[in-house]
Amino acid sequence: MNSQRRPSVVCIGAGPAGLTAAYQLTKSGIPTTVLEADPVYVGGISKTVSYKGFLFDIGGHRFFSKSQEVEALWSEILGDDFLDRPRKSRIYYRRQLFAYPLKPFDALSKLGVLEAALCVLSYLKARIFPIKHPKNFEEWVTNKFGKRLFNIFFKTYTEKVWGMSCKEISADWAAQRIKGLSLATAILHMMLPKKKVKDRGEVIKTLIDSFRYPRRGPGMMWERAVAHIRNQGGSVLMGREVTKVEYGPEQKKWTLLTRSPDGVVEEFSADHVICSMPIRELADKLVPQMSGQARNAAEHLNYRDFLVVTLIVKDRNLFDDNWIYIHEPGLKVGRIQNFKSWSPEMIPDPELNCYGMEYFCFEGDSLWDSADADLIALGKSELVRLNLARPEDILDGYVVRQKKAYPVYDEGYADRVDIIRREVDDHYPALSLVGRNGMHKYNNQDHAMMTAAITARNIVAGRQVQDPWCVNQDAEYHEAGEAGSQAEISERLTPVRSAQ
């Protein structure tokens, strides 16, 4: 560090980004406080919820990254508490289960001869006459798979998730979530013999066959991170909703106000603020106030919420997938998690299982505002309609609501984020935006962790050695900037392994 005095840091949010930053900072001796609005759970959308001994993963989190740094950091924090799990997921469509990622022979045989022929012709047409410069999700996927397969295997589910037409979703989202995958790569993956991958950068994430997973769900990782942070001298405070984030230019200090669930107001001071709070919320709390242009940009950033209806059932071993995508237009459920297939330790009774029925919605709509009993009844009826359980086998249910789970990539979102980013850089010193909602990037937890790790390194160094906005969707850093030689970058990117 350039100064002998160690700077103080406050992290807003105890998700993967906030806790990664705090873990790295406290390991370097930087006084760090994490403020989390949730009074019970850490991990954000990567938390693990508990009900009567059953553990629920909110969304399904595979621990696989192309970033060696993130993989090493997971091992450093959690030690030997990982399971190696086979990956299996399928698509439910027309009362049949199709392998996903798509296996062309499986998909085409189940669709029937005529439909299969039409799908192949549609794919060939897309390859010969692709849409130039695809601007939306529909155009991007059509180029990769053909219009007919897009309509069958992508359109219904994607519109359930986002609550909007595929023509309104930016092609950016498709490029990130389905990167490198096409019908041709799926065929090659299926037909060629499996080989041991030496370079993780060669892997298409969508096609991985196995992954690591914490024994007791992803929240186990972040609960362990909290323990490390506290052991290293940091603080993680629960039930602290941040209500004001004020910069004092004369003191060159940040002052934050929080409110607890019972109304207690507390004040915190820091030299640096690392924020994983949704940008739209942060803009309302910043002092001095953002410009009208930036506030308008933040106000028009959109988010998709979702809820999970967890159903405890007698285990009939009807499917062993980690999850099933539901592409039936007549059903509201979008995806079904099989928690025992993630980890048997999440189910306290081997005779039972627990399924997570995922419903995508907007906070305040009719689905979100439904009573828990009505949502449980809906989940039960749809699980039975799918022939994945018998009515008498469903024993109990529980509802988990998750606000702002997905930043929406609608038209103009990138321009709005850029306006806000420039305003923060120009007018709010020592304020760093990190993570999925802090940067409005719909990426996985490894990306969130990498943006936070780089931010922590910058604070320890006393200058920007790397730009967290240069982390791509695979948690890989693509621009050296001021970081120096590649050897120096590699040395800085290698975390110290714990003695666990």
Side-chain angles (χ1 to χ4, degrees):
M1 286 178 290
N2 295 334
S3 171
Q4 291 185 351
R5 186 182 75 84
R6 290 176 173 172
S8 56
V9 182
V10 165
C11 298
I12 302 175
L19 292 177
T20 297
Y23 175 76
Q24 298 287 54
L25 288 165
T26 54
K27 193 167 66 173
S28 297
I30 304 293
T32 306
T33 299
V34 182
L35 303 174
E36 170 55 48
D38 193 308
V40 178
Y41 295 108
V42 296
I45 196 174
S46 298
K47 63 177 174 279
T48 299
V49 175
S50 175
Y51 173 72
K52 295 183 178 180
F54 291 84
L55 301 175
F56 315 138
D57 181 344
I58 309 305
H61 291 82
R62 294 174 294 170
F63 281 69
F64 176 90
S65 178
K66 290 188 177 185
S67 167
Q68 292 286 4
E69 177 182 9
V70 171
E71 289 278 0
L73 191 54
W74 282 332
S75 296
E76 182 179 333
I77 292 172
L78 198 58
D80 296 329
D81 281 317
F82 277 109
L83 302 175
D84 288 317
R85 302 301 294 161
R87 178 257 171 85
K88 183 178 180 181
S89 58
R90 286 181 289 177
I91 292 170
Y92 183 94
Y93 176 71
R94 291 184 181 175
R95 298 187 179 183
Q96 295 191 85
L97 288 167
F98 295 78
Y100 186 82
L102 294 177
K103 294 182 178 179
F105 298 142
D106 169 78
L108 297 177
S109 64
K110 289 177 180 175
L111 288 172
V113 175
L114 177 60
E115 186 64 57
L118 293 173
C119 287
V120 171
L121 290 173
S122 175
Y123 171 71
L124 293 174
K125 178 182 177 182
R127 302 311 296 166
I128 298 169
F129 304 106
I131 300 167
K132 294 182 179 180
H133 312 298
K135 296 179 180 178
N136 58 52
F137 181 88
E138 179 171 325
E139 293 176 348
W140 194 96
V141 175
T142 296
N143 274 356
K144 291 282 185 177
F145 292 90
K147 187 62 175 284
R148 206 160 189 99
L149 282 174
F150 161 77
N151 284 328
I152 293 172
F153 290 118
F154 293 91
K155 185 177 189 298
T156 300
Y157 177 76
T158 302
E159 292 183 352
K160 275 186 188 181
V161 171
W162 295 106
M164 64 177 71
S165 165
C166 288
K167 293 179 180 178
E168 298 177 78
I169 301 169
S170 170
D172 292 355
W173 184 77
Q176 288 186 188
R177 305 305 290 188
I178 320 175
K179 181 184 178 185
L181 182 63
S182 66
L183 193 61
T185 55
I187 291 172
L188 289 172
H189 178 78
M190 179 185 68
M191 297 181 65
L192 294 177
K194 302 294 186 295
K195 63 178 182 178
K196 188 174 182 180
V197 177
K198 296 181 180 179
D199 181 4
R200 299 181 77 82
E202 298 175 357
V203 178
I204 298 172
K205 280 187 177 182
T206 312
L207 297 178
I208 64 170
D209 298 312
S210 63
F211 54 88
R212 291 195 295 168
Y213 192 75
R215 294 185 301 102
R216 294 177 63 78
M220 186 182 191
M221 168 71 67
W222 304 114
E223 290 158 11
R224 189 72 57 80
V226 169
H228 286 310
I229 291 164
R230 288 171 174 161
N231 288 337
Q232 292 166 181
S235 298
V236 179
L237 304 177
M238 305 300 293
R240 265 70 168 194
E241 178 190 359
V242 174
T243 58
K244 186 177 183 181
V245 183
E246 181 174 6
Y247 182 68
E250 293 183 4
Q251 305 88 353
K252 294 185 178 180
K253 280 272 194 179
W254 285 93
T255 300
L256 295 87
L257 296 182
T258 65
R259 182 176 57 241
S260 68
D262 55 3
V264 175
V265 175
E266 294 176 87
E267 180 178 300
F268 299 86
S269 179
D271 297 300
H272 292 265
V273 172
I274 298 175
C275 183
S276 61
M277 174 191 297
I279 292 176
R280 194 170 72 190
E281 293 183 7
L282 175 65
D284 287 336
K285 304 176 193 302
L286 273 176
V287 179
Q289 194 175 59
M290 283 185 143
S291 68
Q293 182 189 31
R295 282 186 284 117
N296 182 66
E299 184 181 345
H300 287 87
L301 289 175
N302 296 308
Y303 304 85
R304 187 68 161 160
D305 313 286
F306 86 114
L307 55 85
V308 185
V309 177
T310 54
L311 299 176
I312 297 168
V313 302
K314 293 180 182 177
D315 192 6
R316 304 289 185 187
N317 297 311
L318 295 179
F319 68 101
D320 60 354
D321 306 67
N322 307 115
W323 66 89
I324 295 175
Y325 299 99
I326 308 301
H327 285 222
E328 289 293 314
L331 295 171
K332 291 184 178 180
V333 65
R335 188 169 61 176
I336 302 176
Q337 302 285 346
N338 179 345
F339 294 120
K340 185 181 279 189
S341 287
W342 286 97
S343 170
E345 293 191 39
M346 298 174 76
I347 311 299
D349 185 338
E351 299 299 316
L352 303 179
N353 201 345
C354 186
Y355 300 145
M357 311 283 286
E358 295 184 351
Y359 293 89
F360 305 96
C361 49
F362 291 110
E363 183 182 357
D365 69 14
S366 59
L367 193 60
W368 179 272
D369 286 341
S370 295
D372 285 4
D374 293 334
L375 290 169
I376 292 169
L378 173 65
K380 287 181 178 179
S381 67
E382 296 202 328
L383 191 64
V384 170
R385 284 179 61 187
L386 289 163
N387 293 317
L388 296 178
R390 297 187 294 209
E392 61 271 22
D393 289 342
I394 303 173
L395 307 178
D396 200 356
Y398 186 72
V399 177
V400 181
R401 290 174 173 79
Q402 183 66 48
K403 297 180 181 179
K404 295 182 174 61
Y406 308 125
V408 173
Y409 280 24
D410 50 10
E411 185 178 358
Y413 88 95
D415 292 335
R416 292 191 283 273
V417 172
D418 188 55
I419 288 169
I420 294 159
R421 177 186 169 186
R422 284 188 277 109
E423 179 115 351
V424 168
D425 288 345
D426 293 343
H427 300 291
Y428 298 93
L431 171 61
S432 301
L433 306 181
V434 296
R436 175 181 282 199
N437 279 333
M439 304 174 91
H440 205 83
K441 286 180 177 285
Y442 179 28
N443 288 325
N444 295 325
Q445 63 177 338
D446 58 341
H447 173 273
M449 292 173 67
M450 193 63 173
T451 62
I454 287 175
T455 299
R457 274 199 290 275
N458 290 341
I459 292 173
V460 171
R463 64 189 181 93
Q464 179 168 296
V465 293
Q466 291 178 309
D467 183 354
W469 292 88
C470 291
V471 178
N472 71 3
Q473 63 270 15
D474 290 320
E476 298 168 320
Y477 189 79
H478 273 196
E479 187 173 300
E482 300 177 22
S485 71
Q486 189 60 45
E488 290 171 338
I489 295 171
S490 298
E491 184 177 353
R492 274 195 293 270
L493 289 178
T494 305
V496 178
R497 287 189 176 273
S498 69
Q500 287 183 321

